[in-house]
Amino acid sequence: MPKVTEKTTTRSRPRVHRAFPTPRLSEDVISFSECRNNLAACLKRTSETHRLIFITQNGRPTSFIGNIEDWDAFVETQELREDVRVAEAELDRGEGIPHAELKRQVEAEGELMRKELGL
């Protein structure tokens, strides 16, 4: 297994932000004892590289460590995907609001707010 180091891998092209980039098995899989002995370096690496570290016990992957901001982005993405799935199902059932009607409603609410605020 590779040793955990403070060094991070640099990329020659800009990375499009994804919650969890594709793991590099040669770099991102470590044993439990190595993780325990180098926990601070593991945490720093996940923060800097935005890659998960997979932890093995008895040679089998059991857990992972990741950056909390990436986890939040992952959860938000899953929630948005579910919102899209629900919206598509509603549209399939004919429960959607036509764009022109929604625009009219939003503009009416905006006008009402402007009046209430004296704008």
Side-chain angles (χ1 to χ4, degrees), residues 11 15-16 18-28 49-52 54:
R11 298 174 67 91
R15 181 171 71 86
V16 175
R18 292 179 11 191
F20 298 113
T22 303
R24 297 178 187 152
L25 298 182
S26 63
E27 299 175 28
D28 298 336
T49 66
H50 299 278
R51 291 194 336 254
L52 298 174
F54 296 90

Side-chain angles (χ1 to χ4, degrees), residues 3-110:
K3 288 288 181 194
V4 175
T5 64
E6 299 286 328
K7 182 180 176 187
T8 61
T9 304
T10 58
R11 298 174 67 91
S12 59
R13 58 185 166 83
R15 181 171 71 86
V16 175
H17 181 71
R18 292 179 11 191
F20 298 113
T22 303
R24 297 178 187 152
L25 298 182
S26 63
E27 299 175 28
D28 298 336
V29 178
I30 62 173
S31 68
F32 173 78
S33 58
E34 184 178 349
C35 180
R36 180 188 60 223
N37 294 335
N38 300 289
L39 184 57
C42 289
L43 296 175
K44 182 176 180 182
R45 191 171 95 190
T46 61
S47 179
E48 291 176 354
T49 66
H50 299 278
R51 291 194 336 254
L52 298 174
I53 294 177
F54 296 90
I55 303 165
T56 63
Q57 287 183 298
N58 300 320
R60 302 186 75 186
T62 59
S63 303
F64 63 88
I65 298 174
N67 181 283
I68 195 69
E69 292 171 356
D70 296 329
W71 175 257
D72 289 342
F74 173 77
V75 169
E76 184 176 341
T77 298
Q78 296 309 308
E79 290 171 348
L80 289 171
R81 286 182 177 165
E82 178 62 14
D83 290 347
V84 168
R85 188 195 66 73
V86 168
E88 287 174 340
E90 289 173 350
L91 288 172
D92 289 345
R93 292 190 306 265
E95 298 174 359
I97 299 172
H99 179 265
E101 174 61 20
L102 180 60
K103 182 178 178 183
R104 188 196 64 71
Q105 289 178 12
V106 169
E107 288 173 347
E109 288 178 21

